[in-house]
Amino acid sequence: MKKFTAFTLLSIALISCKKETQTITKVDPVTGKTITVEVPVTDSATTAANQPIAVIPAIKDSLGVYYQSFKLEKGKTYPLTTHQKDVQTMTAPDGKSQSGTSETNDEMTFTVNNFDKGIYDITINLIRKKNSQSANGKSIVVDTNLAEPKDEQLKMMWKVNKALVGNKLNMKMDETGKVLSIRGFEPIYNKISSSMASSIKDAKEKAAFMSNFKASFNQKVLTDQFAKNLSVIPSKGAKIGSKWTESENATPDGKIKLTTTYTLKSVGNGVAIIDVAGGIPKKSDKRTQEGITRSMSSELSQNGKITLDENTGWIKNQTMAVKTTQSETLSDGKESQTMKSVSNSTVTVNP
């Protein structure tokens, strides 16, 4: 009987020792990697039950290199509103100047319908378009939230914009932000075409108009736009302070390039901040014909900042300042006249 009791006590002691610690699996909130840790058995159940689920950020660090992905919530809607303001000043040869201002607002939202096997199913909602211009003390506004303008020249723009908003497109996008497809253009094209029935009577003119509209509003155009606005950090990742450069054609022949340099400034406190700079170097051209020399020059500079949500990867804000300077001089060898144009633009995403 004593041996049985001793054996029982020994068994209880061994069981107690085994229950002092227990291995559990957790997600490291910094690296996003799965790790195993030892915790007291008396606390393990409570810890597992009470500890909040670790959120792996969309912009995460792996050995000092940051990568961007998208972690969007099903049923949630994300904004993408673009506002552009252009102030252009023309200076005549006599030194007199005239200025004009134009602004455009383009509002859309993205609603996440589903996420399956690494692919997001998203509805793009086209919300609002607004155009305004002011010069010489006069201003005009074409806004889909307002009534149709009375001016005949503005009615056509309003009708097109009004037929465009209120529509939806379906987009498939992977976790890296790569757009796989955008569908739903044909119904929109049909609405635009119908809206032009009273404005463009000639069939050939209407066909030409629709051809131009389709060239500016299609899957490729929107995919390129979203690639610039959403997927900012390169797929290979970036360290704090590192730079990467992208180039695109500024002219149809590709001879003039717009170069943009990005710098990952910081990641933390829920945001990633990226500085932007670049432009088009000064280009000059001089030609002489029939005794008149024509000299032209142009240059463009840009700088700004992009702020991304660290947890979702979605753009919180982007502000870009773009300055374009152009000049043209005509000279006969005795006298010369110079016309100069300066345009200061501000482009804001999710203001």
Side-chain angles (χ1 to χ4, degrees):
M1 189 68 179
K2 289 182 180 180
K3 289 182 180 181
F4 179 79
T5 303
F7 178 78
T8 302
L9 292 173
L10 179 60
S11 299
I12 293 173
L14 289 173
I15 293 173
S16 298
C17 290
K18 288 181 180 179
K19 288 187 177 180
E20 287 179 359
T21 62
Q22 182 174 331
T23 300
I24 65 171
T25 301
K26 297 176 61 178
V27 176
D28 189 321
V30 176
T31 65
K33 296 179 179 179
T34 301
I35 60 175
T36 56
V37 294
E38 295 285 337
V39 297
V41 68
T42 53
D43 297 330
S44 61
T46 303
T47 301
N50 297 334
Q51 186 174 2
I53 298 174
V55 177
I56 303 175
I59 300 175
K60 60 184 179 181
D61 172 26
S62 179
L63 300 177
V65 180
Y66 288 89
Y67 298 88
Q68 181 184 4
S69 62
F70 289 87
K71 296 189 177 299
L72 309 178
E73 296 181 34
K74 181 179 178 180
K76 191 168 183 179
T77 297
Y78 300 84
L80 188 65
T81 297
T82 303
H83 174 257
Q84 181 169 336
K85 180 179 181 180
D86 301 310
V87 180
Q88 187 172 30
T89 302
M90 303 284 293
T91 304
D94 61 2
K96 294 182 179 180
S97 298
Q98 284 188 331
S99 295
T101 301
S102 63
E103 295 185 63
T104 60
N105 286 336
D106 195 341
E107 298 180 24
M108 62 179 71
T109 60
F110 294 67
T111 301
V112 181
N113 304 314
N114 197 19
F115 179 70
D116 183 45
K117 297 179 181 178
I119 305 299
Y120 286 102
D121 180 272
I122 295 174
T123 295
I124 303 174
N125 307 288
L126 307 178
I127 306 297
R128 180 190 185 192
K129 292 184 74 69
K130 177 183 177 182
N131 304 81
S132 63
Q133 294 181 350
S134 61
N136 301 322
K138 298 181 179 180
S139 61
I140 58 174
V141 178
V142 179
D143 188 345
T144 55
N145 281 6
L146 301 178
E148 179 180 339
K150 295 182 179 180
D151 190 305
E152 290 296 331
Q153 295 182 346
L154 302 178
K155 283 185 177 183
M156 184 170 173
M157 179 187 292
W158 185 87
K159 287 180 179 179
V160 172
N161 290 346
K162 193 67 175 179
L164 181 61
V165 301
N167 293 292
K168 301 178 185 296
L169 295 167
N170 180 261
M171 181 175 77
K172 297 291 193 299
M173 182 183 81
D174 68 15
E175 289 179 284
T176 69
K178 181 181 179 181
V179 176
L180 305 177
S181 67
I182 303 177
R183 299 286 184 264
F185 290 97
E186 286 303 323
I188 297 177
Y189 294 156
N190 292 335
K191 286 186 66 176
I192 298 294
S193 180
S194 297
S195 71
M196 292 295 95
S198 61
S199 300
I200 305 178
K201 303 293 185 180
D202 185 80
K204 291 184 178 180
E205 289 183 11
K206 186 175 181 180
F209 173 84
M210 288 305 303
S211 178
N212 291 333
F213 179 81
K214 291 178 181 180
S216 63
F217 185 74
N218 55 54
Q219 175 169 282
K220 184 181 184 306
V221 170
L222 292 189
T223 298
D224 291 344
Q225 178 187 339
F226 299 154
K228 293 177 184 178
N229 289 337
L230 301 180
S231 300
V232 183
I233 299 176
S235 58
K236 65 180 181 180
K239 295 183 178 180
I240 300 297
S242 65
K243 302 176 184 291
W244 62 97
T245 300
E246 295 182 1
S247 181
E248 59 185 293
N249 292 336
T251 56
D253 58 11
K255 292 182 178 180
I256 299 178
K257 302 284 187 180
L258 171 63
T259 301
T260 306
T261 299
Y262 302 85
T263 304
L264 182 58
K265 185 176 181 181
S266 64
V267 179
N269 298 319
V271 297
I273 298 176
I274 299 164
D275 287 338
V276 185
I280 301 174
K282 186 174 183 178
K283 302 290 183 181
S284 299
D285 181 59
K286 181 184 290 187
R287 297 180 183 181
T288 301
Q289 187 176 6
E290 298 181 355
I292 302 297
T293 299
R294 182 185 184 189
S295 303
M296 300 183 66
S297 67
S298 63
E299 61 182 319
L300 182 150
S301 62
Q302 61 176 347
N303 62 82
K305 182 174 70 173
I306 301 172
T307 302
L308 303 176
D309 188 300
E310 186 181 4
N311 295 316
T312 65
W314 198 259
I315 183 169
K316 290 178 69 70
N317 175 261
Q318 173 183 313
T319 303
M320 292 289 296
V322 182
K323 182 178 182 178
T324 305
T325 303
Q326 296 178 313
S327 67
E328 179 181 359
T329 300
L330 298 177
S331 175
D332 61 1
K334 297 179 181 179
E335 296 181 350
S336 62
Q337 294 183 335
T338 300
M339 177 76 77
K340 189 175 182 180
S341 172
V342 177
S343 176
N344 288 288
S345 303
T346 303
V347 182
T348 308
V349 179
N350 288 345

